[in-house]
Each structure stands twice: as structure tokens, then as C-alpha cells.
Amino acid sequence: MGFEVSDVTRSRFGATRLYHRPMPFWWWLQNRAYFNFIVRELTCVFVGVFAVLTLLQIRALADGPDAYAEFISRLRTPGFILFNTVGLAALLLHAVTWFKAVPTTMAIRFGETRVPDQMIVGLHYVGWMVVSAVVACILLLR
Amino acid sequence: MAEKITLIVSRYRPEEESEPTFQTYDVPYNKDWVILDALNYVKDQLDGSLTFRWSCRMGVCGSCGMMVNGTPKLTCAVPLSDYVSLGQIRIEPLQFFPVVRDLVIDINSFLGKLSSVKPWIIRDDEKPLAEGEYLQTPAELDVYKQFSMCINCLLCYSACPVVGLEPEFAGPAVIALAQRYNLDSRDQGAAERMAALNEHEGMWGCTFVGECTKVCPKKVDPAGAIQLYKMASATDWFKSMLLPWGSK
């Protein structure tokens, strides 16, 4: 916004040398809230990796049965199973922490009444379960 | 019952030292005192050179914000009894602001940011006084009332690590106050404020840590105001891209 941080402040008593406190590199370990924030943000990396893996899986599918079988066999290696287990935990943490934060981002009103926070969070969980049920049906009932 | 409590107070005297030091004061413990009372005891009885801001002593003026054991607090609203079990209280100036002296911070950058969002009612055309006031229903008041409770105490800035990392970030209170006027049914200045805040140093600098809302002594919820502002900006952008008549 074009504001300068000056080294002195001026008043009717004259100029005063300001002390600028440096921001420590480990600021995010300063308190639990900052740490939780960083964890929430870092877990989005796993969301991105899952999305890339899904795109690669679709490409393997397009490349034919052999390419797809090879891709699936790679996913069944211990390294990928470990990665997916850790990734799923991170993704769940990411989803839960964001669902918790959603009411802050949405002020939904019906007439003069604001929809309660718990209802907004609850509807997100219901939506999550519905989508999960649809995916489960597609996988299990084919 | 404790008879005294120890204040560990940050001192910075620019004519004497290049960076702050800590000085310890023992003050009598009085269960009816708040931290500001203890600081005033130091000022009156122990060390008249200790410098800090205060005025109303009742959580209205927003002058006496300080870091209390590492957390931003209004010192007129925090009883000594909350800390008596610890035996000592560390008091520092609000973090992420330059220090002028002892517990006094420089708020000039905040004042510049505040005026840039025009925190007053803007009208396209002012009607003559003879036509009376701009009327508003209680329901219309209720939409923005929460955001109007801000007392500019700056605790939210001191809780926000983005303010520390990016000093040019507009910050929680400024964006909440912009939203306070945007949501006011009498105001017509939302587009002007959006122009000032729809940039990285404006609302998009916020990474939604959420601590600003937790430390606010007036329950303003600046984090909520910023996220609502982002939603409004994103909606405007989509409308301008998808609809032939833009966001109007």
C-alpha cells in the first residue's frame, strides 16, 4: 500500500530513534496457534500431490491397460502405501481444520437471521459424506 | 495470598541504549487491580521514568495494549489475579511495531493505512441537511454493528504474524473497519475501498491465521471481516468475467 517504515518518529519533542524488533525465523514456534496455522498450511502440499497423482492415474488409463496396470502396481509398493497413509492423514487434518474455519468466511442470512455456525459446519460434513458415499457406490457397485 | 507480584518490564531509552532491556519491579498484590494499576504504581511510587500509554482505564480508548507474558492484552482489562499463581508478569510493547520508548509503540504506519480505506460514510450525493438524517433500520444496523466496535487498540496487529513479516500489509483492524462502512446501508463507498484493499498488501495478504479475532477485546472478528471481503472481491471478479454487464 506504499507505506514506509521509518527509523525515526517526529513529534513536538523532536526526533526519536525507533527500535525495530526483528522477526525471528522461528516465529511459528512462538505459540501453539502459529504452529497449528503452519501445519494447516503445509498439509495443503499433500492435497496438491494427491491431485497430481490422480491426473497421472488418468493419463495411465488413457495410455492403455498395460500402462495402467504398471501404474497400479507402483501404487502398491510399500513406499507409496506409506506416502498415501501419511498423505491421507494430512489431507483429513487439512479438511477438518478448514471446515472448522468455514463459518468465519460465510455469513449466510435468511431474512434477519444469520445461519448458526454449527449448521454451516454440519452441512459441509454432510456434503463430504454424500460425495464419499457416491464415490463408494461407483467403486463398489460396478 | 501473595503480598507482592513481580513485573518484568521492557525498557527502551533511545538516548541511552541501542536495544531494549528488561527491568524488574516488585509491586504490592491487590486482587482488585488490573495490570495497568500495577504499572501506574510503578510510575507513581518506584520509577517515574517508565513510559507507557493509557487513558480511560475502562476498555474504551484502546491506548494501553501491551504484550503480557507474550500475548497481546488491554492492560486495563486484565486482572493481576490472572497471573498471581505465576508470581511474575512479563510486560513488553505490542510486537510487530517499532518501539518509541519503553512500552510505547509507533503507530504512524497504522494511521496511514487507516485513512487510506476512508473509514467514514461516503455518499455519491450528500443530501441537504434540511432533508434530515439518513435513516437505518435495526436489521441494517445489525449487519455491521459487530465491526463498528473496534477501538483501534492494535492487539490484532500484534497477534498477526503477517504484520510482522510484511510491514506493508493493511492489517486486520483496517480491513474490518473498511468492511464496517461497506456493510453500512447509508454508505456508497465500497468501490473506492475495494480499490485500496484489493491487492496483495490489502486483503489478499491475509493468510487466515485467525489470531486477530481471538485477541480482540471487543469481539469484532477481524478475521471474519477479511474473509467476507475476499468473498465479495472474488464474487465481483467472477461477475465481471462472466456477465456481459460486469459486476454492476
Side-chain angles (χ1 to χ4, degrees):
Chain A
M1 300 179 76
F3 295 106
E4 291 182 5
V5 179
S6 63
D7 291 326
V8 294
T9 186
R10 295 179 192 286
S11 70
R12 61 197 174 100
F13 303 110
T16 301
R17 182 166 47 85
L18 300 173
Y19 176 71
H20 293 273
R21 287 165 289 184
M23 186 76 171
F25 179 79
W26 302 104
W27 63 266
W28 46 280
L29 293 176
Q30 187 177 326
N31 63 44
R32 182 179 289 271
Y34 291 174
F35 179 75
N36 289 345
F37 158 72
I38 287 292
V39 169
R40 187 191 77 195
E41 295 298 298
L42 285 181
T43 50
C44 76
V45 173
F46 288 95
V47 179
V49 172
F50 270 127
V52 170
L53 273 180
T54 306
L55 290 173
L56 290 175
Q57 190 168 1
I58 293 169
R59 191 179 75 172
L61 191 63
D63 288 346
D66 291 343
Y68 190 71
E70 189 187 337
F71 186 84
I72 294 299
S73 69
R74 274 190 200 157
L75 287 184
R76 287 179 174 152
T77 56
F80 261 111
I81 291 173
L82 178 66
F83 170 79
N84 276 317
T85 307
V86 174
L88 179 64
L91 195 142
L92 288 174
L93 181 69
H94 193 76
V96 169
T97 48
W98 272 110
F99 280 6
K100 193 175 163 190
V102 160
T104 306
T105 67
M106 304 174 88
I108 303 171
R109 288 176 176 272
F110 280 113
E112 295 180 7
T113 311
R114 182 169 167 168
V115 176
D117 291 355
Q118 297 90 334
M119 187 177 288
I120 294 175
V121 176
L123 286 172
H124 275 75
Y125 277 102
V126 168
W128 188 9
M129 281 188 277
V130 168
V131 171
S132 299
V134 169
V135 172
C137 283
I138 291 170
L139 292 176
L140 299 174
L141 301 177
R142 57 184 173 164
Chain B
M1 183 64 73
E3 291 185 351
K4 67 180 180 66
I5 194 162
T6 302
L7 305 185
I8 304 168
V9 183
S10 176
R11 302 296 310 268
Y12 172 60
R13 290 147 291 199
E15 68 281 3
E16 293 177 20
E17 51 211 354
S18 59
E19 60 183 40
T21 55
F22 282 99
Q23 191 161 349
T24 300
Y25 303 100
D26 287 334
V27 299
Y29 172 67
N30 184 326
K31 67 179 175 56
D32 297 324
W33 277 6
V34 291
I35 290 178
L36 183 61
D37 292 323
L39 285 171
N40 273 324
Y41 178 88
V42 173
K43 179 88 174 171
D44 294 342
Q45 305 292 332
L46 305 177
D47 185 350
S49 72
L50 181 65
T51 306
F52 51 95
R53 288 195 179 108
W54 65 280
S55 182
C56 75
R57 299 196 298 181
M58 53 195 289
V60 174
C61 75
S63 310
C64 66
M66 299 170 203
M67 302 299 290
V68 178
N69 281 0
T71 303
K73 299 272 189 188
L74 268 191
T75 52
C76 69
V78 183
L80 274 186
S81 56
D82 285 2
Y83 297 88
V84 66
S85 61
L86 300 173
Q88 61 184 32
I89 308 171
R90 195 176 76 254
I91 302 172
E92 298 165 271
L94 285 177
Q95 66 180 354
F96 310 142
F97 286 95
V99 184
V100 178
R101 174 179 291 273
D102 294 343
L103 300 168
V104 176
I105 54 165
D106 178 39
I107 62 171
N108 282 330
S109 67
F110 167 74
L111 294 176
K113 294 169 186 174
L114 183 62
S115 60
S116 75
V117 300
K118 303 181 178 176
W120 53 80
I121 288 176
I122 298 171
R123 299 286 302 179
D124 294 336
D125 293 303
E126 291 282 353
K127 65 181 183 182
L129 281 177
E131 292 182 24
E133 62 271 55
Y134 298 104
L135 297 177
Q136 190 167 61
T137 67
E140 288 169 334
L141 169 67
D142 192 47
V143 172
Y144 70 85
K145 187 176 178 185
Q146 175 188 15
F147 303 133
S148 74
M149 306 307 283
C150 177
I151 56 173
N152 295 345
C153 65
L154 304 181
L155 298 198
C156 54
Y157 281 70
S158 206
C160 174
V162 180
V163 172
L165 293 165
E166 299 181 30
E168 294 204 343
F169 173 46
V174 161
I175 304 176
L177 280 166
Q179 188 70 333
R180 172 253 175 273
Y181 286 95
N182 289 339
L183 296 175
D184 192 319
S185 59
R186 301 164 295 180
D187 182 78
Q188 298 169 326
E192 287 181 47
R193 294 187 198 98
M194 185 67 89
L197 286 174
N198 195 12
E199 53 183 298
H200 181 69
E201 293 84 7
M203 69 180 95
W204 300 107
C206 169
T207 53
F208 200 7
V209 179
E211 283 301 284
C212 53
T213 290
K214 288 186 191 161
V215 301
C216 179
K218 295 295 182 183
K219 312 291 182 211
V220 170
D221 189 12
I226 297 170
Q227 308 323 310
L228 292 176
Y229 216 160
K230 286 179 182 173
M231 290 284 276
S233 171
T235 307
D236 272 359
W237 185 82
F238 275 110
K239 281 182 182 171
S240 68
M241 294 297 288
L242 298 174
L243 303 177
W245 52 89
S247 60
K248 301 295 179 190

